[in-house]
Amino acid sequence: NEVVVVVVAVEDTSSDWSQSLLVDLLPAGFEIENLRLANARDTGDFDWLPDLADTQYTEYLDDRFVAAFNSSNNGELGFAYMMRAVTPGRYKVPASVVEDMYLPERMARTEMGETEILDAP
């Protein structure tokens, strides 16, 4: 039942303006917490987070975090959300994907990984 903060950093090196979409799939065994961390930084609880990107649309789904944003050589853009560990086990961490919504050949994907949720003591 531990809660973790997921931070996704996107580096925009293009000089072209774009409308982009970030899709970050959750590993099995986790559930997303619907909390707007961008506004929560003001409380001081999350002041360690990097500056978060302004989004035009954000969605917290059962199996993924989705954010639509505009970019134009903005350097590094940060996105964050919380998820809760709910089922013990070893799981694959799916790749995160960012793509321009109108030029899908402009896209990037992270590597996959692994995670483990331990039984409560």
Side-chain angles (χ1 to χ4, degrees):
N1 212 22
E2 291 287 323
V3 174
V4 296
V5 176
V6 178
V7 178
V8 180
V10 175
E11 185 175 356
D12 180 12
T13 59
S14 172
S15 60
D16 297 331
W17 182 85
S18 68
Q19 291 182 303
S20 300
L21 187 70
L22 165 67
V23 179
D24 193 31
L25 300 173
L26 272 64
F30 289 90
E31 291 179 354
I32 202 159
E33 293 284 309
N34 190 352
L35 175 65
R36 293 198 172 274
L37 290 178
N39 298 331
R41 291 186 75 215
D42 297 335
T43 67
D45 293 339
F46 299 101
D47 58 356
W48 52 268
L49 282 173
D51 287 336
L52 301 178
D54 291 327
T55 58
Q56 275 56 54
Y57 175 79
T58 306
E59 194 167 25
Y60 303 89
L61 300 171
D62 291 339
D63 64 343
R64 70 193 69 206
F65 168 78
V66 178
F69 60 98
N70 294 330
S71 67
S72 176
N73 199 14
N74 290 328
E76 190 168 291
L77 301 167
F79 302 88
Y81 63 93
M82 296 177 73
M83 66 181 182
R84 180 179 303 278
V86 293
T87 307
R90 293 185 65 88
Y91 304 104
K92 298 287 185 187
V93 177
S96 300
V97 176
V98 176
E99 70 177 32
D100 185 308
M101 290 190 282
Y102 299 102
L103 299 169
E105 64 273 7
R106 289 188 56 207
M107 60 90 64
R109 179 182 8 234
T110 65
E111 292 185 22
M112 293 181 60
E114 291 187 9
T115 189
E116 183 175 8
I117 300 172
L118 302 175
D119 285 321

